[in-house]
Amino acid sequence: MTPRVVVHSGRAKPFYGRHPWVFVGAVQRTEGEAADGAEVDLVSHTGAFIARGLYNGRSKVRVRLYSWQDGEALDDEFLRARLRNAVALRRDLGLMQPDGACRLVNSEGDGLSGLTVDRYCDWLSVQFTGLGLAERRERIAELLAELVPCAGIYLRTEKGIGQLEGLSLSDGPLRGGTPPPLTIVETGMRFMVNLAEGQKTGYYLDQRDNRLAAARLLVGRRVLDAFCYSGGFGLRARQHGAVEVIGIDGSEAALSLARENAALNHLDGLTYVKADVFDELDRRVKNRERFGAVVLDPPKFARAKSGVEEALRGYRRLLSLAVRLVEPGGYVVMCCCSGRVTSEQIEELMAQTAADQRRDIQLIERRGAAGDHPVSVSCPESHYLKCLIARVG
Ligand code: SAH
């Protein structure tokens, strides 16, 4: 019999609501031998079936839920169906061209909590944030290779995840060898992606549409692209007719990628500066510099609920500097990829900044990640990326 995890009375509501994370505090007891990574049934305190998931006694997320159908096994057939469904969405979105790139599987957003797969041309990059699916990685690689013929599949690991989940994985090939540096085509522009050594899984695919949306407003402007990584926002803006772009990042490796990308797209007028963004913006404020737009795309500031207050202070500081640097009628593009921080909280910071600096701020667009990063309505935390485009008076 499948082991059962019993939830405390009064704590079952989110799971009936199809939220996939069962934190340890919601668990009353476990019946039967639940091994780490094994299938378990989540049941109410009266013993009624709620959902089927994978157990991990070493994680605060004691069970990750995958099926709300009583008796459905989380076997190969199940995995194949979920993966096929994920690939079908990317086909619908027109994102399966051979030289393109997209997020193929977006964890909770695709009903596969703990699994992220990106496709760069004919290579796949796979990342696990949960032990259950990580233990099934060989099968998942096989199923992926069946669904999306590819040259190879490379495993990337995120720092810190090993400890949170009791996972011991390291970067390396799951299928094929080590991927060479690749050049992807994204809406008509070319970008270098180093899948084995780049940040995250190699490139920030989630900002694809936001870069375009911002670029449309930045024609003829001088743009400060803060936290630029491989240059996405600034390069797109320059291609659309921004007159000058200054990219700032703390990583030399990121900046050299950005320079290569500029050359690859035959774009000039871009300067890259290695600096801490906070210091660099501060220095430019003191110099009384002004720009037509400032893009802020910082890394995740809040990893857990406890980090939200500090993260908000960081976002507030960035906004305050950016607004000072923007000329009247210019734009601030504020991105936030902390799942724990809401769009409303960022908007509240904008309101405070407007009051502090006595400037009008108009919200032009409230955006999220591109469509290949679907958000599960049952798991609001999967709406991690916010991109607010604001006009400063
Ligand atoms: N805008 C990019 C993605 C940014 S990722 C794109 O469109 O692809 C965040 C970047 O911030 C990383 O490249 C990281 O090196 C950089 N970074 C993080 N903290 C920083 C800091 N304090 N100062 C400068 N760069 C920083």
Side-chain angles (χ1 to χ4, degrees):
M1 207 184 103
T2 312
R4 305 195 329 163
V5 172
V6 185
V7 284
H8 280 298
S9 102
R11 298 291 296 271
K13 199 166 167 234
F15 314 119
Y16 280 114
R18 305 175 81 88
H19 198 290
W21 303 336
V22 184
F23 281 94
V24 58
V27 173
Q28 186 197 65
R29 63 175 192 280
T30 303
E31 296 172 352
E33 283 296 310
D36 290 345
E39 287 183 42
V40 291
D41 277 335
L42 189 77
V43 302
S44 73
H45 71 289
T46 62
F49 172 86
I50 304 174
R52 173 74 60 98
L54 298 177
Y55 185 81
N56 185 0
R58 287 177 277 182
S59 172
K60 278 188 187 160
V61 187
R62 200 44 51 97
V63 186
R64 284 177 194 267
L65 300 175
Y66 296 97
S67 172
W68 279 262
Q69 216 172 301
D70 199 354
E72 184 176 36
L74 306 181
D75 54 11
D76 281 6
E77 200 186 324
F78 161 84
L79 285 172
R80 184 182 287 116
R82 284 285 155 101
L83 293 172
R84 182 176 287 148
N85 188 48
V87 174
L89 167 65
R90 282 67 184 180
R91 286 199 208 290
D92 288 348
L93 292 166
L95 290 172
M96 294 302 284
Q97 305 93 324
D99 55 359
C102 67
R103 174 142 301 178
L104 209 54
V105 180
N106 193 38
S107 200
E108 287 78 18
D110 283 298
L112 288 167
S113 176
L115 172 67
T116 301
V117 183
D118 286 344
R119 181 183 71 83
Y120 298 104
C121 308
D122 55 353
W123 283 84
L124 302 184
S125 158
V126 176
Q127 203 171 34
F128 292 99
T129 51
L131 174 120
L133 293 184
E135 286 196 338
R136 290 158 176 78
R137 61 189 174 277
E138 289 301 331
R139 275 309 284 145
I140 288 173
E142 221 169 289
L143 292 166
L144 281 169
E146 268 172 35
L147 284 169
V148 186
C150 53
I153 303 181
Y154 198 78
L155 178 67
R156 289 296 306 259
T157 50
E158 198 182 325
K159 251 193 295 174
I161 280 300
Q163 217 180 355
L164 286 175
E165 285 286 310
L167 260 175
S168 59
L169 292 178
S170 41
D171 289 10
L174 279 176
R175 282 277 175 298
T178 299
L182 302 164
T183 304
I184 60 161
V185 177
E186 183 177 279
T187 343
M189 287 185 78
R190 299 165 77 204
F191 292 93
M192 302 264 305
V193 178
N194 192 332
L195 207 147
E197 279 158 25
Q199 291 183 21
K200 269 208 328 195
T201 63
Y203 181 73
Y204 293 88
L205 294 162
D206 48 1
Q207 296 281 25
R208 183 192 308 115
D209 297 348
N210 297 334
R211 294 182 190 118
L212 276 168
R216 279 197 288 269
L217 293 165
L218 305 185
V219 179
R221 294 179 186 270
R222 290 181 65 228
V223 177
L224 200 56
D225 181 9
F227 306 97
C228 67
Y229 184 53
S230 53
F233 275 97
L235 289 163
R236 182 62 74 183
R238 178 77 181 114
Q239 187 226 21
H240 265 67
V243 291
E244 186 193 347
V245 172
I246 299 175
I248 309 170
D249 203 283
S251 151
E252 189 52 55
L255 296 174
S256 67
L257 256 180
R259 287 188 196 100
E260 281 186 72
N261 286 334
L264 205 58
N265 292 283
H266 313 291
L267 291 173
D268 60 4
L270 296 116
T271 313
Y272 291 103
V273 180
K274 180 173 185 291
D276 177 83
V277 165
F278 291 87
D279 296 346
E280 183 68 13
L281 296 189
D282 204 41
R283 191 181 67 77
R284 290 177 187 265
V285 167
K286 291 197 175 110
N287 277 349
R288 301 186 172 277
E289 291 180 36
R290 284 289 174 115
F291 293 87
V294 179
V295 178
L296 300 167
D297 185 17
K300 201 196 266 185
F301 283 162
R303 298 220 160 255
K305 232 186 210 156
S306 57
V308 169
E309 282 307 313
E310 204 191 319
L312 289 176
R313 279 196 292 278
Y315 292 121
R316 182 169 184 171
R317 176 100 186 104
L318 285 175
L319 256 179
S320 150
L321 290 165
V323 168
R324 278 176 227 272
L325 286 168
V326 168
E327 64 201 16
Y331 294 91
V332 172
V333 179
M334 171 90 215
C335 308
C336 164
C337 60
S338 307
R340 298 279 181 187
V341 175
T342 65
S343 185
E344 289 71 23
Q345 283 171 308
I346 300 289
E347 288 171 35
E348 177 58 34
L349 294 181
M350 286 193 172
Q352 288 167 10
T353 309
D356 289 350
Q357 297 190 27
R358 312 173 107 242
R359 294 187 71 181
D360 292 327
I361 300 183
Q362 299 165 285
L363 209 46
I364 309 305
E365 290 197 53
R366 290 185 174 95
R367 308 181 55 89
D372 50 337
H373 298 64
V375 173
S376 159
V377 294
S378 316
C379 179
E381 295 88 340
S382 63
H383 176 38
Y384 68 99
L385 182 67
K386 279 75 62 180
C387 171
L388 303 178
I389 304 183
R391 187 161 172 263
V392 182

